[in-house]
């Protein structure tokens, strides 16, 4: 998810989210989860990666391409299971920072966002 800086103090954050699931089990997930993932893919709200598991190399390449279009200052990551991807993104020149998915992580991120806009 890209989060763009506020221009004026009263503005709301503009975000550009991205979501991925494996292409091979897209139809299975539609039936099992009763969710229109296939429609979301057609509408551009969901991206798929080749194979039956999420292909992190594809996502890393996608992030690298985003870095050519946007000034990405930091990439926040959830600590669990992200070691290889964070190393790869660092190798591509990105700054990566840990982000907890609990209350403390969200409070800290929100406070930091406000501090950057002063």
């Amino acid at each position: 998810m890209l989060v763009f800086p506020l221009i004026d103090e009263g503005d709301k954050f503009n975000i550009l989210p991205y979501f991925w699931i494996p292409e091979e089990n897209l139809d299975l997930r539609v039936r099992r989860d009763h969710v229109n993932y296939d429609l979301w893919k057609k509408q551009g709200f969901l991206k798929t990666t080749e194979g039956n598991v999420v292909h992190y190399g594809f996502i890393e390449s996608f992030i690298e391409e985003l870095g050519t279009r946007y000034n990405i200052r930091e990439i926040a990551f959830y600590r669990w299971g992200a070691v290889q991807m964070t190393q790869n993104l660092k190798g591509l020149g990105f700054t990566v920072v840990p982000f907890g998915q609990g209350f403390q992580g969200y409070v800290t991120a929100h406070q930091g966002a406000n501090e950057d806009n002063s």
Side-chain angles (χ1 to χ4, degrees):
M1 170 183 342
L2 299 177
V3 180
F4 296 92
L6 301 175
I7 296 172
D8 294 318
E9 190 174 313
D11 285 350
K12 296 180 180 179
F13 285 98
N14 288 311
I15 63 168
L16 183 55
Y18 294 97
F19 306 95
W20 294 271
I21 63 172
E23 178 70 39
E24 275 186 28
N25 55 33
L26 177 70
D27 293 333
L28 169 69
R29 288 170 181 250
V30 168
R31 290 189 309 273
R32 181 192 66 200
D33 301 344
H34 305 286
V35 175
N36 295 326
Y37 299 121
D38 53 345
L39 177 61
W40 295 352
K41 180 185 175 191
K42 287 177 189 170
Q43 293 173 330
F45 300 126
L46 179 71
K47 300 193 176 299
T48 58
T49 64
E50 65 182 30
N52 64 357
V53 296
V54 174
H55 189 296
Y56 290 102
F58 174 85
I59 295 171
E60 290 164 9
S61 296
F62 185 83
I63 293 170
E64 183 178 25
E65 200 275 319
L66 284 176
T68 66
R69 296 193 330 216
Y70 301 103
N71 177 20
I72 299 175
R73 291 195 255 168
E74 291 181 338
I75 298 175
F77 67 94
Y78 179 54
R79 293 170 188 89
W80 187 86
V83 173
Q84 187 63 56
M85 180 178 265
T86 57
Q87 289 173 347
N88 294 347
L89 291 172
K90 282 180 185 179
L92 292 172
F94 291 105
T95 299
V96 296
V97 295
F99 180 80
Q101 290 192 355
F103 176 76
Q104 182 62 36
Y106 290 106
V107 170
T108 304
H110 179 69
Q111 288 170 342
N114 288 336
E115 290 167 7
D116 284 345
N117 294 311
S118 52

